[in-house]
Structures are given as structure tokens and as C-alpha cells.
Amino acid sequence: MRRTHLFSAAVLLFCTACSSGSDNGSGESAKKAVEHGAAVRAAIERTSADSARVNEKIELRSVDSPTTYVFAIAGAFDLAGDRGRLTVELEDSGMDPVEEVFVGDTVYVHGSRAVDEGKWASAVRSEALTRFFLRAPLNDPEHLLRQVKAMRQVSNEGEERVNNAPAVHYRGTIDHTTATLGMTAETKQGLNNLREKLGEDMPVYADVWVDGKGRAVQARLSYFGGMKAMATMTLSDFGTPVKAEAPPAKQVVPVTVGEDVLLA
């Protein structure tokens, strides 16, 4: 019964997405979609060449649960220099937050349950995987930007306000390969099975808001098909200084991400 409900809801959303873009058959609509997609890519490239303050909320709910789990991630990140410092917490869980320091291809984690108190766990950023749909491995903000940059069938949804300033809202979808980027083999297999039942890509929406300076100031990925998965990241205070240094080597213990829910 649960599988039938999930399948029906996903099909309904997929058909809605198709019907809303039914005018894409015209040459003019196709041309505009290409132009909008180029605007999004240019905005993400501009944002990725700067530093910013990051605030992200990840909302997850499984098929058979009424509870939505909310992860809050905040800090400063130098997207151009691959350095940053983030605090991650699972709201209303009673769990202590963890602190992450990104330095190149290494992420140092203080407060991880994988090491003794007072130690820093370290993981290889490029090798990290996530068990959760639409959640970045190690909460990496660049991962989300990489995914939305690949959005397709892009439309201009008009002007809205982000960070108390006007921004153009673009909406599109991402393909299955992009949606499952960086996932564990087990999670990816489950999503592959669902895709086979649908006969099409799962309807994953991508939204990007671009400010008057051509920067991506907000990005979102969302899926509602029985289960809920939504990641919304807002970027502000561009050019903000970022202090991110590796802790002393004697305090560092290399680990794999494992089952720590705060690290995905």
C-alpha cells in the first residue's frame, strides 16, 4: 500500500511538471529556456568565485513517518578557495551541534560521535557520500550549487525578495544522475528502483534566485512524492572574511563519514 501511494504521488507530480511546461514545444519557449539556463549558470559561477555567509535548511520526511527532520547549517564559506567553517544541528533532537572546517579536500569535524571527545575527525571531501536524498555529503554547500547548475527546462518565475532585495526566481528540474550525485550505493539503488517504476526521472525541482548583481543568492532542491526532501540554501554578505584553518595534527583522527546523521 505504501509503495502504491508513493508511486501514485510521484506520477502525479511528474505529470504536473510536464503539463506546466507544455508550451516548451515552441521555438520561442525553447530559446527562452536556454537563455534562462545560461543566466542561472552564469550566476552560480559568479557566486562560486566569492565568499559568502551560508544559511541552509534541509527538511526530510520518510514515506511512512509524519515527522519532518530539519537540519540547520550556518557559517562562512570561501567558495573560490574551498575553505569554510559551518555549524550543523538537527533541530529538536537534543543532539549537540557539530562544527565543520573545510580546508581544500579535507573536512575536519569537531563533535563527531566517531572520535573521542576533544578530538577532530577528518574525512576526505571528494570521497564522502550521503545516505539522504537531496542532502550534500558532509553538508558541502558547493555540492548543492553543482546540482542546481545542471538544471534544465528553466523558466523565469518573476521577481521575489531575498535578503531584503529583489531577485529573479528561476525554476527547472534536474535529471536522475544529478539528483543522486554523491549518494551511497544502497541509497542510489533504492532511488534507481523507484525511477524504473515511474518509467521517467523522479520530478526533482531546482530553484535559483539571482540578484541585481547577477549572483545566485538562494538555491533550492525539492521533491514531494510520498516522501519529502527539500534543501534551501541562502547566501549573503558576499566577500565576508572566512577563517578556516586545520586543527593541530595531534588532535585529528581520520575517519569515514559512517552513520553520523549530522554528516549525512
Side-chain angles (χ1 to χ4, degrees):
M1 182 64 70
R2 290 172 182 166
R3 292 182 178 177
T4 302
H5 172 71
L6 174 58
F7 176 73
S8 299
V11 169
L12 176 60
L13 277 172
F14 183 78
C15 291
T16 302
C18 290
S19 63
S20 65
S22 60
D23 65 339
N24 286 347
S26 69
E28 185 63 27
S29 295
K31 180 180 178 181
K32 285 187 177 296
V34 171
E35 292 173 352
H36 298 328
V40 167
R41 290 191 296 274
I44 292 174
E45 287 174 5
R46 180 165 293 186
T47 295
S48 298
D50 206 343
S51 63
R53 183 154 297 281
V54 174
N55 281 280
E56 184 175 1
K57 179 175 286 188
I58 301 170
E59 301 169 72
L60 303 171
R61 188 188 68 236
S62 63
V63 178
D64 54 358
S65 172
T67 303
T68 298
Y69 297 94
V70 180
F71 296 87
I73 302 163
F77 212 97
D78 182 349
L79 299 161
D82 292 324
R83 305 173 72 86
R85 182 181 293 269
L86 302 173
T87 299
V88 185
E89 63 177 318
L90 177 58
E91 294 183 354
D92 301 321
S93 68
M95 300 171 63
D96 292 332
V98 301
E99 182 179 8
E100 295 183 288
V101 175
F102 291 70
V103 181
D105 197 37
T106 304
V107 182
Y108 302 94
V109 184
H110 190 263
S112 171
R113 292 142 191 80
V115 297
D116 293 336
E117 185 176 352
K119 295 289 187 179
W120 288 77
S122 71
V124 180
R125 185 181 182 189
S126 59
E127 296 177 0
L129 299 173
T130 180
R131 296 180 290 120
F132 301 101
F133 191 36
L134 304 188
R135 185 173 176 198
L138 291 170
N139 309 294
D140 188 343
E142 293 188 67
H143 183 88
L144 176 58
L145 292 177
R146 191 177 304 121
Q147 287 178 298
V148 296
K149 188 177 181 180
M151 63 195 291
R152 56 189 183 173
Q153 300 171 335
V154 184
S155 62
N156 183 328
E157 298 296 307
E159 190 174 280
E160 300 173 12
R161 295 189 71 81
V162 178
N163 299 331
N164 294 317
V168 179
H169 178 191
Y170 294 98
R171 164 163 277 207
T173 60
I174 58 174
D175 63 22
H176 187 74
T177 299
T178 303
T180 58
L181 183 67
M183 287 187 172
T184 62
E186 181 180 5
T187 302
K188 185 177 290 188
Q189 185 58 54
L191 294 168
N192 288 343
N193 294 341
L194 178 56
R195 180 175 183 262
E196 289 180 7
K197 292 178 181 178
L198 290 173
E200 299 282 356
D201 284 357
M202 296 169 63
V204 178
Y205 289 104
D207 296 87
V208 173
W209 288 259
V210 179
D211 72 0
K213 295 183 178 180
R215 303 172 302 195
V217 291
Q218 188 165 269
R220 175 181 294 153
L221 291 176
S222 56
Y223 173 79
F224 303 94
M227 65 176 176
K228 172 185 179 180
M230 183 165 68
T232 305
M233 181 170 67
T234 304
L235 301 112
S236 61
D237 298 332
F238 287 91
T240 190
V242 176
K243 296 181 180 180
E245 303 295 335
K250 63 181 180 180
Q251 296 180 14
V252 176
V253 180
V255 299
T256 55
V257 175
E259 295 298 308
D260 194 331
V261 69
L262 294 179
L263 303 180

